């Protein structure tokens, strides 16, 4: 069997260390003992874009925010689904991840970073959300293994009541917050409901072939209800 080779490492601001590994044509991004992404398994990440398109695909000039570049699965799926008038902002905190996309994983990304619809922002997706005032038709989050700060503790603020209120404020009426998770989380489902989102919890397969582990994607629509403030 071909052994894994560590190609590079990267420090997460305020968090741990990422490792980019390669085995033949296969890539893996690791955080400690946790595999965050594998190039063979893209089904659930692509599902974020597909679910967003189901909800807002008919809108003119949709403005979409993707949290986390990763291996570009969600971005490539969004580019394939949305029209030429779409604007897709990708926030990536770790500069090396962007360099990997243009370097060792360039073939995997297939030039999607140079699509005129794409804007890459090196920075915290949380700040973009907090600065948003009805800016986005969809916010897609895949920066942790679930609704808690795995890659860094500060990411907890994306999923608590304050973070959900910020997401509602950043979304246009009828816009959607879509969050990827390795598994279910009843507490997060409750927070979404209490924050005024109309939420569906969708189970998706890790593989595009419909096999592999089952992951969870929350599709939370902003229906204009008042979010719960001041709770965490």
């Amino acid at each position: 069997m071909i052994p894994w080779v560590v190609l590079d490492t990267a420090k997460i601001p305020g968090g741990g260390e990422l490792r980019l590994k390669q085995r033949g044509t296969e890539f893996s991004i690791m955080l400690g003992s946790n595999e965050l992404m594998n190039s063979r398994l893209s089904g659930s990440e692509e599902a974020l874009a597909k679910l967003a398109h189901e909800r807002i695909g008919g809108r003119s000039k949709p403005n979409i925010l993707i949290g986390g570049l990763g291996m570009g699965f969600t971005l490539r799926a969004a580019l394939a689904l949305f029209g030429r008038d779409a604007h897709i902002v990708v926030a990536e905190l770790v500069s090396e991840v962007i360099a990997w996309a243009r370097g060792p994983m360039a073939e995997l990304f297939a030039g999607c970073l140079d699509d005129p619809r794409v804007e890459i922002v090196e920075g915290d997706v949380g700040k973009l959300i907090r600065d948003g005032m009805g800016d986005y038709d969809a916010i897609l989050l895949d920066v942790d293994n679930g609704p808690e700060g795995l890659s860094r503790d500060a990411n907890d603020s994306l999923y608590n009541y304050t973070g959900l209120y910020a997401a509602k404020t950043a979304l246009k009426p009828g816009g959607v917050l879509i969050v990827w998770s390795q598994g279910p989380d009843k507490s997060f489902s409750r927070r979404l409901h209490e924050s005024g989102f109309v939420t569906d919890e969708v189970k998706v397969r890790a593989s595009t072939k419909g096999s592999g582990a089952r992951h969870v994607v929350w599709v939370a629509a902003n229906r204009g209800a008042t979010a719960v403030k001041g709770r965490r």
Side-chain angles (χ1 to χ4, degrees), residues 109-224:
F109 276 80
C112 69
L113 299 189
D114 298 318
D115 190 294
R117 293 170 289 175
V118 176
E119 178 185 354
I120 304 296
V121 176
E122 183 184 327
D124 181 9
V125 68
K127 183 178 187 306
L128 293 182
I129 292 172
R130 292 188 297 273
D131 290 346
M133 296 295 293
D135 292 338
Y136 301 107
D137 295 280
I139 299 172
L140 284 54
L141 294 181
D142 183 12
V143 295
D144 295 291
N145 268 7
E148 62 179 339
L150 174 67
S151 58
R152 60 179 193 143
D153 291 342
N155 281 358
D156 283 340
S157 64
L158 293 171
Y159 315 109
N160 61 22
Y161 287 103
T162 302
L164 294 178
Y165 176 75
K168 280 182 66 69
T169 302
L171 286 168
K172 297 176 184 179
V176 288
L177 170 66
I178 301 181
V179 181
W180 184 94
S181 177
Q182 192 174 36
D185 187 316
K186 291 182 180 179
S187 295
F188 184 61
S189 296
R190 184 180 66 252
R191 290 197 298 275
L192 284 168
H193 174 74
E194 292 177 349
S195 297
F197 285 100
V198 179
T199 306
D200 292 320
E201 190 172 317
V202 182
K203 290 182 172 59
V204 295
R205 289 285 192 179
S207 171
T208 55
K209 298 178 181 179
S211 59
R214 288 184 182 272
H215 297 154
V216 173
V217 176
W218 286 274
V219 183
N222 175 21
R223 297 305 186 194

Side-chain angles (χ1 to χ4, degrees), residues 2 4 10 16 27-29 35 82 87 96 104 118 141 146 153 156 164 167 206 228 232:
I2 302 174
W4 284 103
F27 292 93
S28 173
I29 296 178
E35 183 174 60
F82 287 92
H87 179 225
E96 288 88 346
V118 176
L141 294 181
D153 291 342
D156 283 340
L164 294 178
V228 179
R232 299 182 184 274

Side-chain angles (χ1 to χ4, degrees), residues 24-47:
T25 59
E26 180 183 359
F27 292 93
S28 173
I29 296 178
M30 302 286 296
L31 174 66
S33 60
N34 293 299
E35 183 174 60
L36 299 182
M37 286 198 171
N38 185 291
S39 58
R40 295 184 300 104
L41 302 172
S42 61
S44 57
E45 289 84 0
E46 292 174 4

Side-chain angles (χ1 to χ4, degrees), residues 42-51 73-74 76-78 81 180 208:
S42 61
S44 57
E45 289 84 0
E46 292 174 4
L48 272 71
K50 293 175 183 176
L51 291 165
F73 299 137
T74 303
R76 291 199 304 279
L81 290 166
W180 184 94
T208 55

